[in-house]
């Protein structure tokens, strides 16, 4: 540590730090544009010029290393005049369109021009004009004349997203940010470039011309998509969600969002929203009131129970549902005398788990790993923010190895990759275990061959101190998932690596905690989807798109005498008898438990649309109408309290012993047929499937199934 004098106060800072870092530590603001704490230093805007004693001219704070005893003045006449001069140059070519600029009200250039800009310009020449670009459905580059060449967007793509889709070409006043070849920006993290842009050059295409920042309310929430549990700021005007931004949380999503977290809100106001209960009568759908719909459901469940027994009733729930919804769903089914409840729609193996499957480490720890082996995952598309953290680790020298059935581009350095059919993953892991056993001088847990490729994968876990073996969505849904976990645990124990599941959905961990899985004698999701039910309740899920085999699942559910769908959308209309409109995540309070076991509760940010109601209320009323005990909750907080009592939802859960990836399963190396189910990035859940802008992206167009209401 060294000490410098910054505006008269002593600041201790690590050697090698820049003056800007010392200023941040001391709480001193230095104006800047190109500097960002998460990006490399470019020092090309020069707005952060400060007065360093004994330096002949002002120095850029972001690129000037501190030295012991250095004296820095950020507000001296010399510094202020330098900053004002830089501002004058920045404004020479900047268009004077603040009244119509989408960035107005949250523009760094606008804010700093008030403090450092002049009241008039000395330059009367014509301002330069930069042609607009069309880079896809998410980012608008219509006003590139505003660009000040800070290169934040370029550095983000190159360093954090791993794909340099934007770059700066030409020199002097002809410089411009472009895709060079006129390509689109297709990164799954591209929306972060909008946040990074300090002017109105890059703006959100779906949000363009919708509202001014000061017109909207800002409310906290949590993403309902993948298992990161990204913290959100939801911006609302006139009871309508208009924009979603990241809420900074270094332990979870830092200051970033995946594009599906940012843009999926469009689905909430689409034409497919279900805003009133509907009954199918004579083959036609009729809108009815809640009393009629709920009485139909309650009477239908009673009738099926009387005629076929409680075991003919079952509920399939989405792991994107909240803790409260899943807890009451389980209470409803079990109150009726059935154990048929499951959230594992894409699984092929349903052996009871000894504990709650989870990441095995913290999300933040992924950034500092020295070695990682990822099995059965297209990490970049399935968990974009986890991939960003592993990418950061790889840039620092971590060895990342991959075992998968496809050579996906992860936009990061891959130390070793083995591409084998999914049915042979158990044998491939056994080979890796054999390589580890040979290195450690111990007996291997199963018959394997220490091939060169196996040794290359094992090497990622045999050196370094901080290591992780991560099982992806396809590994979790695998027909031999238990053997994969048993082999992974053995390898982890021998190498000192943590072992965990990336976990698919926002509440996969929470669903396990509240026991949204079949009890003794209960049917699992595979058996229910195969036609094992006479009355099926579908909570926030569409079997045709959420099950391992959509076509077969639709046929299997269609065999039931009564199918009840609880959804925010007009879903399952071909197989359902009644549709109950439930509120999506923006319109209901709830709780998600992310991959690391972090319990995150949130409130509704807008009122429910039409006659929609929070699912926990619908389930509570159904419980009351069916005469079940324990359905007297007044609020979502009451439901969570009850769920806490059942599941011990305390934080951190690791200390409570609830989270565990241990298994006593025997290792089976037989080849399994078929490929495990794993949803593509914009087919993960019903909300992203209905977000128009996301469905126009390259990722969506290359993977989307044909579905009414979704652009081809």
């Amino acid at each position: 540590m060294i000490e410098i004098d910054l505006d008269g106060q002593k600041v201790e800072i690590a050697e090698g730090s820049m003056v800007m870092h010392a200023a941040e530590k001391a709480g001193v603001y230095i104006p800047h544009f190109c500097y960002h704490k998460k990006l490399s230093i470019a020092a090309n805007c020069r707005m952060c010029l400060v007065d360093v004693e004994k330096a002949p001219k002002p120095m850029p704070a972001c690129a000037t290393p501190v030295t012991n005893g250095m004296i820095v003045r950020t507000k001296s006449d010399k510094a202020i005049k330098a900053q004002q001069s830089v501002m004058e140059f920045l404004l020479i070519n900047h268009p004077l369109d603040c009244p119509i600029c989408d960035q107005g009200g949250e523009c760094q250039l606008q804010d700093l021009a008030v403090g450092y800009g002049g009241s008039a310009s000395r330059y009367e020449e014509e301002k330069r004009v930069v042609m607009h670009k069309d880079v896809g459905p998410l980012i608008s580059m219509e006003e590139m004349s505003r660009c000040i060449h800070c290169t934040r967007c370029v550095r983000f793509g190159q360093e954090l997203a791993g794909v340099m889709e934007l770059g700066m070409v030409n020199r002097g006043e002809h410089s411009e940010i472009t895709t060079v070849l006129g390509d689109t920006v297709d990164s799954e993290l591209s929306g972060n470039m909008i946040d990074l842009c300090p002017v109105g050059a890059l703006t959100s295409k779906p949000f363009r011309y919708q509202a001014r920042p000061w017109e909207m309310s800002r409310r906290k929430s949590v993403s309902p998509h993948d298992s990161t549990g990204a913290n959100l700021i939801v911006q609302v005007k006139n009871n309508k969600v208009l924009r979603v931004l990241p809420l900074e949380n270094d332990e979870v999503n830092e200051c970033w969002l995946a594009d599906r977290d940012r843009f999926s809100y469009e689905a909430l106001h689409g034409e497919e929203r279900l805003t009133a209960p509907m009954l199918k009568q004579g083959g036609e759908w009729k809108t009815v009131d809640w009393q009629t719909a709920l009485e139909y459901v309650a009477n239908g469940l009673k009738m099926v129970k009387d005629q076929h027994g409680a075991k003919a009733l079952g509920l399939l729930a989405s792991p994107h549902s909240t803790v409260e919804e899943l807890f009451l769903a389980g209470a409803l089914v079990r109150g009726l005398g059935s154990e048929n409840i499951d959230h594992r729609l894409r699984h092929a193996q349903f052996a009871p788990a000894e504990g709650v499957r989870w990441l095995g480490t913290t999300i933040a720890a992924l950034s500092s790993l020295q070695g990682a082996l990822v099995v059965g995952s297209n990490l970049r598309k399935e968990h974009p923010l986890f991939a960003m953290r592993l990418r950061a680790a790889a840039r620092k020298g971590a060895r990342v190895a991959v075992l998968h059935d496809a050579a996906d581009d992860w936009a990061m350095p891959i130390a070793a990759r083995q591409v084998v059919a999914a049915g042979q993953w158990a044998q491939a892991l056994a080979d890796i275990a054999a390589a580890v056993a040979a290195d450690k001088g111990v007996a291997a847990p199963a018959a394997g061959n220490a091939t060169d490729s196996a040794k290359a994968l094992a090497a990622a876990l045999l050196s370094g101190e901080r290591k992780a073996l991560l099982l992806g969505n396809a590994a979790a849904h695998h027909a031999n998932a238990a053997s994969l976990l048993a082999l992974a645990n053995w390898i982890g124990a021998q190498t000192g690596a943590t072992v965990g599941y990336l976990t698919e959905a926002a509440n996969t961990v929470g669903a396990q905690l509240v026991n949204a899985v079949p009890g003794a004698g209960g049917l699992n999701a595979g058996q229910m989807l195969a036609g094992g039910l006479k009355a099926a309740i579908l909570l926030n899920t569409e079997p045709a798109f959420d099950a391992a085999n959509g076509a077969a699942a639709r046929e299997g559910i269609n065999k039931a005498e009564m199918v009840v769908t609880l959804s925010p959308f007009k879903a399952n209309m071909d197989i359902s008898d009644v549709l109950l409109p439930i509120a999506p995540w923006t319109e209901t309070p709830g709780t998600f438990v992310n991959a690391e076991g972090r319990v995150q509760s949130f409130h509704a940010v807008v009122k429910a649309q039409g006659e929609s109601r929070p699912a926990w209320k619908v389930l509570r009323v159904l419980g009351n109408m069916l005469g079940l005990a324990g359905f007297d909750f007044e609020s979502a907080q009451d439901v969570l309290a009850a769920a806490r009592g059942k599941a011990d939802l305390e934080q951190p859960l690791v200390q409570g012993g609830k989270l565990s990836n241990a298994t006593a399963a025997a290792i089976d190396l037989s080849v399994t047929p078929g490929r495990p189910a794993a949803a593509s990035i914009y087919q993960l859940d019903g909300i992203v499937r209905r977000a128009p802008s996301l469905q126009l992206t390259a990722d969506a167009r290359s993977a989307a199934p044909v579905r009414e209401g979704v652009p081809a």
Side-chain angles (χ1 to χ4, degrees):
M1 301 292 284
I2 60 177
E3 185 177 82
I4 71 168
D5 184 303
L6 183 69
D7 288 343
Q9 62 172 311
K10 302 295 184 183
V11 182
E12 281 195 355
I13 191 76
E15 189 173 357
S17 300
M18 302 297 162
V19 171
M20 184 70 81
H21 300 142
E24 286 181 337
K25 184 175 181 180
V28 175
Y29 178 73
I30 299 175
H32 60 274
F33 293 112
C34 69
Y35 171 77
H36 190 278
K37 62 184 179 181
K38 298 289 185 179
L39 300 176
S40 64
I41 292 171
N44 52 11
C45 79
R46 317 308 280 186
M47 191 63 209
C48 64
L49 292 176
V50 294
D51 180 8
V52 178
E53 191 173 90
K54 297 182 181 180
K57 59 183 181 181
M59 304 292 286
C62 68
T64 302
V66 294
T67 58
N68 203 31
M70 174 186 279
I71 299 175
V72 181
R73 299 287 177 264
T74 68
K75 297 178 177 61
S76 66
D77 287 344
K78 185 177 179 180
I80 296 297
K81 287 179 180 177
Q83 292 161 0
Q84 290 173 339
S85 296
V86 171
M87 178 59 70
E88 185 177 18
F89 279 115
L90 285 173
L91 295 177
I92 289 174
N93 279 309
H94 199 78
L96 299 177
D97 57 359
C98 291
I100 63 163
C101 178
D102 249 14
Q103 198 86 348
E106 54 187 9
C107 173
Q108 281 182 261
L109 183 65
Q110 191 180 60
D111 293 341
L112 292 179
V114 173
Y116 299 91
S119 58
S121 176
R122 294 184 287 173
Y123 298 89
E124 298 178 354
E125 292 78 10
E126 287 187 4
K127 293 179 181 288
R128 73 175 192 145
V129 175
V130 181
M131 289 302 293
H132 63 82
K133 289 107 178 151
D134 184 0
V135 294
L138 305 180
I139 300 177
S140 172
M141 295 180 73
E142 293 292 318
E143 311 291 347
M144 290 308 292
S145 296
R146 299 170 183 162
C147 178
I148 62 171
H149 306 144
C150 70
T151 68
R152 282 183 174 184
C153 56
V154 177
R155 285 176 285 146
F156 173 81
Q158 189 174 17
E159 298 164 12
L160 299 180
V163 184
M164 190 176 174
E165 295 176 298
L166 294 178
M168 189 161 69
V169 298
N170 304 325
R171 301 186 71 181
E173 74 165 9
H174 301 292
S175 300
E176 59 178 293
I177 300 293
T178 178
T179 56
V180 182
L181 298 177
D183 298 326
T184 54
V185 174
D186 297 321
S187 167
E188 64 284 351
L189 298 162
S190 64
N192 294 293
M193 297 178 185
I194 300 168
D195 294 341
L196 287 170
C197 185
V199 294
L202 304 183
T203 54
S204 168
K205 192 171 278 190
F207 175 67
R208 190 170 168 81
Y209 300 137
Q210 294 293 308
R212 292 295 196 182
W214 57 83
E215 297 176 316
M216 299 184 290
S217 302
R218 297 162 58 89
R219 295 160 189 174
K220 298 179 182 179
S221 193
V222 179
S223 170
H225 304 305
D226 66 35
S227 59
T228 307
N231 290 196
L232 311 176
I233 294 174
V234 182
Q235 296 189 322
V236 176
K237 179 184 177 184
N238 296 332
N239 202 48
K240 183 177 180 180
V241 176
L242 293 184
R243 188 164 62 164
V244 174
L245 299 175
L247 175 63
E248 186 168 355
N249 185 338
D250 275 341
E251 298 300 311
V252 183
N253 57 302
E254 300 179 274
C255 56
W256 314 118
L257 285 184
D259 286 349
R260 66 180 166 202
D261 300 327
R262 184 184 300 272
F263 296 108
S264 66
Y265 70 87
E266 283 188 291
L268 305 178
H269 308 287
E271 295 180 356
E272 290 193 59
R273 269 304 297 268
L274 178 65
T275 57
M278 299 181 75
L279 279 178
K280 188 183 287 184
Q281 298 176 336
E284 294 186 3
W285 284 101
K286 306 289 185 183
T287 299
V288 297
D289 57 59
W290 269 106
Q291 186 68 25
T292 301
L294 290 174
E295 285 180 354
Y296 177 91
V297 173
N299 292 334
L301 291 175
K302 290 177 182 176
M303 186 178 301
V304 169
K305 181 180 178 182
D306 291 343
Q307 292 178 357
H308 304 286
K311 293 185 178 180
L313 309 171
L315 187 148
L316 291 161
S318 166
H320 300 274
S321 302
T322 67
V323 164
E324 293 82 352
E325 293 163 0
L326 292 166
F327 173 75
L328 285 179
L332 180 75
V333 170
R334 293 184 169 103
L336 288 168
S338 173
E339 286 290 340
N340 303 334
I341 178 173
D342 210 345
H343 70 279
R344 302 167 295 175
L345 277 75
R346 292 191 176 101
H347 283 234
Q349 190 179 69
F350 299 92
E354 291 83 344
V356 172
R357 304 314 192 197
W358 69 298
L359 186 61
T361 184
T362 63
I363 292 173
L366 298 178
S367 300
S368 59
L369 290 176
Q370 296 171 325
L373 172 59
V374 184
V375 180
S377 175
N378 181 2
L379 184 68
R380 177 182 168 192
K381 301 301 182 182
E382 293 174 6
H383 298 88
L385 295 178
F386 290 173
M388 179 186 277
R389 288 189 179 271
L390 267 189
R391 189 174 296 119
R395 284 176 62 86
K396 292 181 286 189
R399 294 175 58 87
V400 178
V402 183
L403 172 62
H404 196 32
D405 61 357
D408 305 305
D409 179 11
W410 284 15
M412 71 175 77
I414 301 297
R417 186 195 303 271
Q418 186 175 3
V419 179
V420 296
Q424 298 172 11
W425 286 352
Q427 184 61 61
L429 271 180
D431 292 347
I432 296 169
V436 171
D439 182 86
K440 298 291 184 179
V442 297
N449 299 311
T451 62
D452 290 343
S453 57
K455 290 177 182 177
L457 294 175
L461 301 179
L462 286 170
S463 61
E465 297 179 359
R466 300 182 300 277
K467 298 161 288 189
L469 199 164
L470 302 169
L471 299 169
N473 295 348
H477 304 159
H478 199 278
N480 200 5
S483 293
L484 298 182
L485 178 58
L487 285 162
N489 281 336
W490 188 91
I491 295 169
Q494 294 298 321
T495 61
T498 62
V499 176
Y501 284 98
L502 294 165
T503 70
E504 181 181 47
N507 207 27
T508 300
V509 174
Q512 299 172 79
L513 282 164
V514 296
N515 203 28
V517 291
L523 301 180
N524 60 49
Q527 293 166 326
M528 287 189 270
L529 290 169
L533 299 176
K534 295 297 183 182
I537 302 173
L538 305 177
L539 175 59
N540 203 23
T541 190
E542 300 169 81
F545 305 101
D546 295 331
N549 186 331
R554 183 188 302 201
E555 292 179 10
I557 291 296
N558 205 25
K559 294 177 182 177
E561 295 177 5
M562 183 178 76
V563 178
V564 181
T565 292
L566 286 76
S567 173
F569 304 104
K570 295 174 182 176
N572 305 322
M573 296 188 77
D574 56 336
I575 57 175
S576 296
D577 298 292
V578 57
L579 301 180
L580 302 179
I582 60 172
W585 60 280
T586 53
E587 300 168 19
T588 181
T591 303
F592 292 136
V593 185
N594 71 359
E596 68 177 0
R598 183 179 295 263
V599 181
Q600 299 185 110
S601 294
F602 54 92
H603 297 287
V605 299
V606 292
K607 295 178 182 177
Q609 286 189 38
E611 293 297 311
S612 300
R613 296 291 182 269
W616 73 267
K617 285 189 176 182
V618 176
L619 293 167
R620 180 200 64 188
V621 173
L622 267 178
N624 291 333
M625 295 178 75
L626 290 165
L628 305 181
F631 280 79
D632 53 351
F633 304 106
E634 296 294 327
S635 67
Q637 288 77 15
D638 292 344
V639 182
L640 180 61
R644 283 183 181 277
K646 297 280 187 180
D648 190 24
L649 282 163
E650 297 298 332
Q651 195 174 348
L653 289 165
V654 188
Q655 295 178 359
K658 288 283 181 179
L659 304 182
S660 172
N661 294 315
T663 181
I667 295 174
D668 177 9
L669 299 183
S670 58
V671 176
T672 55
R675 189 182 190 198
S680 61
I681 184 169
Y682 299 131
Q683 293 296 314
L684 182 62
D685 58 76
I687 296 177
V688 295
R689 284 196 289 268
R690 292 174 172 84
S693 295
L694 291 178
Q695 294 305 320
L696 292 172
T697 61
D699 277 328
R701 293 197 309 271
S702 66
V706 177
R707 189 181 72 79
E708 185 180 352
V710 173

